[in-house]
C-alpha cells in the first residue's frame, strides 16, 4: 500500500486541487509504519481500552468484585499482539493498574473466541460463498460509491481506482488513531458524505461475514457447553464477551471476563 500512497502523493503535489496549506501537509507526509507494524496496538488504542475498562467498572461496578480473583475471573484474548495488550489495558482500567492479574496463554485456534474459524461449514457457506459478498459488490458499484470516486479523483487531479480509495481511507483511519492531535492529510481529501459511504461499505462486509447471528450461535454454544469450556475456572463470577472492531483504531480485541 505504501507504493500506492507515494504515487498518489506525487499526483496530489503535481495536480491536486487543494489549498497551499493542505498541499504542504502532503509534501511533508511520509509512511509512518512498516507493513509488519500495521496491526499492532498503538498508544491511542491502549488508552481507549483502559478508559473502556474504567467505564465498564463505573456502569457495572455493583455487580463486579472490586478486586481481581482468579477463581472468579478468567480472561482470554486471541493470539495476536494487539489482542493481548488490548486485554491488559482493559483489565487495568477495570481493576486498577497495580492489581496482579493472571493471563493464560492465548490459543492459536480458540474454540470460544473464534469458534467459527474451525468450522468448515462457516468457511464454505459464509466466508467462501460469493453470495456473502453480493451486497458489498452492489454497493461498490452504486451511485454513492461512484460519487466518492469522482470527488476524490477531482481533488487529487487524476483518476483513482476503488483500490486507491480504500488505501486512502485506511490510511486516514489509521493515522487518525496513531496521532491523536494531528489530522492525517489523507483525511482532507474526504467530505462527510464520502466518509459515511465508505464506513457503510466496510460495515457491509463485516455484517455479512461476522453478523449478529454469529453472536447468537456463540451464546447457544456457551449455554450448551456451560462453564466446562474453562475447566481452570470452575466458578466464573461474570461471563462477558467484548469485541471491539474500530475503524479508527487498528485493533481487534476479544476477551472473556
Amino acid at each position: 500500500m505504501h507504493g500506492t500512497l507515494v504515487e498518489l502523493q506525487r499526483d496530489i503535489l503535481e495536480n491536486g486541487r487543494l489549498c497551499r496549506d493542505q498541499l504542504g501537509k502532503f509534501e511533508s507526509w511520509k509512511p509512518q509504519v512498516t507493513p509488519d507494524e500495521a496491526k499492532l496496538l498503538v498508544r491511542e488504542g491502549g488508552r481507549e481500552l483502559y478508559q473502556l475498562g474504567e467505564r465498564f467498572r463505573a456502569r457495572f461496578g455493583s455487580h463486579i468484585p472490586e478486586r481481581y480473583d482468579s477463581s472468579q475471573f478468567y480472561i482470554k484474548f486471541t493470539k495476536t499482539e494487539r489482542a493481548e495488550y488490548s486485554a491488559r489495558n482493559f483489565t487495568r482500567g477495570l481493576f486498577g493498574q497495580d492489581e496482579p492479574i493472571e493471563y493464560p496463554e492465548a490459543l492459536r485456534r480458540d474454540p470460544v473466541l473464534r469458534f467459527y474459524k474451525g468450522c468448515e461449514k462457516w468457511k464454505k457457506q459464509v466466508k467462501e460463498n460469493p453470495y456473502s459478498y453480493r451486497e458489498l459488490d452492489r454497493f461498490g458499484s452504486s451511485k454513492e460509491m461512484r460519487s466518492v470516486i469522482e470527488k476524490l479523483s477531482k481533488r487529487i487531479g487524476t483518476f483513482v481506482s476503488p483500490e486507491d480509495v480504500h488505501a486512502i481511507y485506511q490510511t486516514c483511519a489509521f493515522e487518525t488513531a496513531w496521532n491523536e492531535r494531528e489530522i492525517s492529510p489523507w483525511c482532507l481529501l474526504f467530505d462527510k458524505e464520502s466518509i459515511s459511504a465508505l464506513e457503510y461499505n466496510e460495515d457491509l462486509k463485516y455484517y455479512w461475514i461476522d453478523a449478529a447471528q454469529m453472536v447468537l450461535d456463540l451464546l447457544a454454544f456457551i449455554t450448551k457447553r456451560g462453564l466446562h469450556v474453562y475447566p481452570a475456572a470452575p466458578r466464573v463470577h461474570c461471563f462477558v464477551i467484548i469485541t471491539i472492531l474500530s475503524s479508527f483504531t487498528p485493533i481487534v480485541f476479544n476477551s472473556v471476563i
Side-chain angles (χ1 to χ4, degrees):
M1 186 168 70
H2 283 170
T4 299
L5 293 174
V6 171
E7 293 171 3
L8 289 171
Q9 179 190 31
R10 184 177 62 249
D11 290 334
I12 290 170
L13 294 176
E14 293 177 356
N15 308 305
R17 297 182 180 180
L18 302 173
C19 66
R20 182 177 300 177
D21 180 60
Q22 292 173 332
L23 288 173
K25 292 182 182 297
F26 275 102
E27 190 171 9
S28 60
W29 178 85
K30 293 181 180 179
Q32 298 185 36
V33 296
T34 65
D36 292 338
E37 296 173 320
K39 294 184 178 181
L40 301 182
L41 181 68
V42 295
R43 183 171 55 184
E44 177 68 9
R47 181 164 58 251
E48 286 186 7
L49 268 298
Y50 180 85
Q51 293 171 344
L52 181 63
E54 290 183 319
R55 293 198 299 272
F56 200 88
R57 164 66 62 185
R59 178 168 295 185
F60 304 107
S62 60
H63 304 287
I64 302 175
E66 186 173 344
R67 300 295 301 274
Y68 169 80
D69 186 336
S70 60
S71 68
Q72 295 180 310
F73 293 92
Y74 192 75
I75 301 165
K76 286 179 67 68
F77 43 84
T78 53
K79 197 174 180 61
T80 62
E81 186 269 358
R82 62 185 181 275
E84 177 180 350
Y85 283 96
S86 293
R88 290 179 181 274
N89 279 281
F90 175 82
T91 50
R92 284 174 58 216
L94 182 64
F95 293 109
Q97 299 192 40
D98 299 326
E99 191 76 8
I101 298 174
E102 295 180 13
Y103 298 97
E105 183 178 355
L107 302 176
R108 191 176 70 86
R109 289 185 175 274
D110 195 292
V112 174
L113 296 184
R114 309 192 78 183
F115 65 99
Y116 54 92
K117 292 293 185 179
C119 176
E120 290 299 323
K121 185 176 181 180
W122 173 81
K123 290 180 181 178
K124 294 179 180 179
Q125 296 187 10
V126 179
K127 186 177 181 180
E128 298 174 359
N129 185 354
Y131 182 84
S132 300
Y133 301 89
R134 186 179 64 169
E135 293 300 324
L136 181 64
D137 293 337
R138 284 179 174 177
F139 189 73
S141 58
S142 67
K143 65 178 182 180
E144 288 82 6
M145 287 301 293
R146 290 199 303 271
S147 175
V148 172
I149 293 175
E150 290 173 3
K151 287 188 287 187
L152 209 58
S153 296
K154 287 182 179 179
R155 298 213 73 187
I156 292 177
T158 186
F159 175 77
V160 294
S161 67
E163 292 74 22
D164 293 334
V165 174
H166 179 73
I168 295 171
Y169 174 70
Q170 289 291 91
T171 304
C172 165
F174 286 160
E175 290 189 350
T176 297
W178 297 332
N179 304 293
E180 59 176 312
R181 301 184 185 279
E182 297 181 14
I183 297 177
S184 168
W186 299 99
C187 296
L188 301 174
L189 299 174
F190 296 114
D191 57 20
K192 185 179 295 186
E193 290 75 18
S194 296
I195 287 289
S196 296
L198 290 168
E199 286 179 345
Y200 182 75
N201 183 67
E202 191 170 51
D203 287 343
L204 277 176
K205 176 183 177 181
Y206 290 114
Y207 177 81
W208 286 100
I209 303 300
D210 304 297
Q213 183 61 44
M214 301 291 288
V215 177
L216 297 178
D217 291 343
L218 174 57
L219 293 177
F221 173 82
I222 292 171
T223 302
K224 183 178 180 180
R225 293 284 298 274
L227 298 180
H228 297 294
V229 173
Y230 301 117
R235 291 188 297 275
V236 179
H237 180 82
C238 180
F239 198 93
V240 180
I241 305 293
I242 298 176
T243 301
I244 298 174
L245 182 54
S246 171
S247 299
F248 287 90
T249 306
I251 61 172
V252 179
F253 168 46
N254 296 285
S255 181
V256 176
I257 302 173

